[in-house]
Amino acid sequence: ELISRLTGATVVPGPSSAGVEGVAGAPEALQFDLTRVESEFGVQDTVGLEEGLAATIEWQRSLYRR
């Protein structure tokens, strides 16, 4: 719904991944520790999902307008 609203396009969900096994040997869940990134680059402002998607969509559109 969010992508449809931001792009104005109709988005049709693909097939469900329910019941599909993950990659053999891969962990069930990942949790990233950003301590090193924050210490080396400084704390960055966070961007919300909607704002980040809107910026990414606009950036992609700008590539096609060239």
Side-chain angles (χ1 to χ4, degrees):
E1 292 177 20
L2 177 59
I3 293 174
S4 291
R5 185 164 41 84
L6 292 173
T7 62
T10 301
V11 177
V12 179
S16 172
S17 61
V20 176
E21 295 293 322
V23 176
E28 289 289 322
L30 297 174
Q31 182 174 0
F32 296 100
D33 179 2
L34 298 177
T35 306
R36 183 173 174 193
V37 173
E38 291 170 350
S39 68
E40 290 189 23
F41 299 103
V43 176
Q44 300 292 318
D45 292 333
T46 58
V47 175
L49 176 63
E50 185 168 349
E51 182 182 352
L53 280 174
T56 301
I57 291 165
E58 183 54 37
W59 170 70
Q60 283 289 313
R61 285 178 173 160
S62 74
L63 296 176
Y64 289 100
R65 285 191 280 248
R66 293 183 182 183

